[in-house]
Amino acid sequence: MTDIGFIGLGIMGSPMASHLIAAGHRVAGFDVQQEARQQLAAIGGRVAESVADAVAGAEVVITMLPDHPQVEQVAYGDDGILARAKPGTLLIDMSTIRPETSIAVARAAAERGIRVLDAPVSGGEVGAKQAALSIMVGGTKDDVAAARPVLEVLGRTVVHVGAHGAGQVVKAANQLVVAGIYALVGEAIVLLEASGVDPAKGLDVLAGGLAASRVLDLKRESMIAREFAPGFRIDLHHKDMGIVLDAARRAGVALPLSGLTAQLVAAARAMGHGGDDHSALLTVTTTLSGRE
Ligand code: NAD
């Protein structure tokens, strides 16, 4: 049984915290939103009044926040994790953020004897609810070993992918592939419909051949029906494509398809789909083809 401070109890954080409680850990959670705090109380967690309160007695602190400014705020703030957690605490940041922030937080925390892992996830809200996330972990071997019993409560696949920041680079690779597949499945749907071919039958065949993918398995019906309730919001994927392009620039590589896909995601957002599921990329292709 571990004392865990959990910060960020949103779409992903809330079900993750509930699995940790169900596994017997003591969870003290904090979120800036009252509704999220109430949800934690309902599932048996202790509602903390602040970040400092959540991390005060914790052996492990987990953060599941939107983006790097929020992670920096809760890590570096006057009453933040680095100031208030005890030396030896293991901070596992499971948010999707830029790799250089993960590296910087790990360095600053080390000066206070706090150990850090970047451990972003794939699998979405369904994966979080089913404790079936895929978790990519950056940090030292010993810290990953210490975190594994906690991470294995949340996910089925837990892989140590490298040093600090490496988890975020793997997540960036994941996000460019997922967005690209959504864009291409959207193009397939537009082509089939415009050619008078039943897209449901067409995609059934694709899903059984070399073009098979999880996106086709899980989303082809809702895409054809134009049902775009999130899931994973276009706004978050827009953030992630920014991370992808920035990481590519830092690594000195050219990723032309990621660049194009990032523009399609930006277009979906500009067209008012920021709050919709990322499968709403289909609407951009539909509009480009004059088929609204
Ligand atoms: P969310 O917006 O639902 O949850 C984030 C929570 O953090 C919110 O409840 C918000 O109130 C809270 N928060 C923000 N600033 C805070 C602060 N300073 N202190 C305390 N709490 C604060 O987002 P989410 O969908 O749960 O995503 C969280 C992270 O996981 C993101 O980085 C996202 O990219 C990533 N992710 C999401 C999914 C998904 O399908 N939703 C899948 C994989 C990865």
Side-chain angles (χ1 to χ4, degrees), residues 61 68 245 250:
V61 173
H68 70 91
L245 298 186
R250 283 171 179 270

Side-chain angles (χ1 to χ4, degrees), residues 29 79 126 269:
D79 279 326
V126 173
R269 194 161 180 261

Side-chain angles (χ1 to χ4, degrees), residues 7-13 30-33 36 51 64-67 70 73-74 94-97 121-125 133 171 175 231-233 236 239-240:
I7 300 161
L9 300 161
I11 290 178
M12 300 293 285
F30 177 70
D31 193 290
V32 286
Q33 289 187 51
V51 172
M64 194 52 168
L65 296 159
D67 197 0
Q70 293 81 23
Q73 190 193 343
V74 304
M94 305 191 75
S95 328
T96 302
I97 61 169
V121 307
S122 176
E125 187 182 8
L133 293 168
K171 177 65 181 177
Q175 293 307 81
F232 187 73
R233 286 179 287 120
L236 284 176
K239 171 211 39 151
D240 292 351

Side-chain angles (χ1 to χ4, degrees), residues 44-182:
R46 178 175 79 78
V47 177
E49 295 306 318
S50 62
V51 172
D53 183 20
V55 307
E59 300 156 87
V60 171
V61 173
I62 296 178
T63 45
M64 194 52 168
L65 296 159
D67 197 0
H68 70 91
Q70 293 81 23
V71 172
E72 286 163 354
Q73 190 193 343
V74 304
Y76 300 141
D78 287 343
D79 279 326
I81 300 166
L82 270 50
R84 294 306 198 99
K86 60 189 180 198
T89 300
L90 183 58
L91 166 58
I92 310 173
D93 179 33
M94 305 191 75
S95 328
T96 302
I97 61 169
R98 54 189 195 183
E100 62 268 30
T101 298
S102 301
I103 295 166
V105 170
R107 278 199 191 128
E111 288 171 18
R112 296 213 55 257
I114 293 169
R115 305 173 290 155
V116 178
L117 297 171
D118 48 300
V121 307
S122 176
E125 187 182 8
V126 173
K129 285 185 169 161
Q130 296 178 347
L133 293 168
S134 210
I135 307 175
M136 40 224 110
V137 194
T140 69
K141 201 171 149 218
D142 287 351
D143 293 346
V144 176
R148 196 169 276 282
V150 170
L151 295 178
E152 285 178 347
V153 172
L154 306 173
R156 289 201 193 126
T157 307
V158 179
V159 181
H160 182 199
V161 292
H164 297 297
Q168 298 296 353
V169 177
V170 174
K171 177 65 181 177
N174 183 80
Q175 293 307 81
L176 79 86
V177 171
V178 171
I181 291 173
Y182 271 116

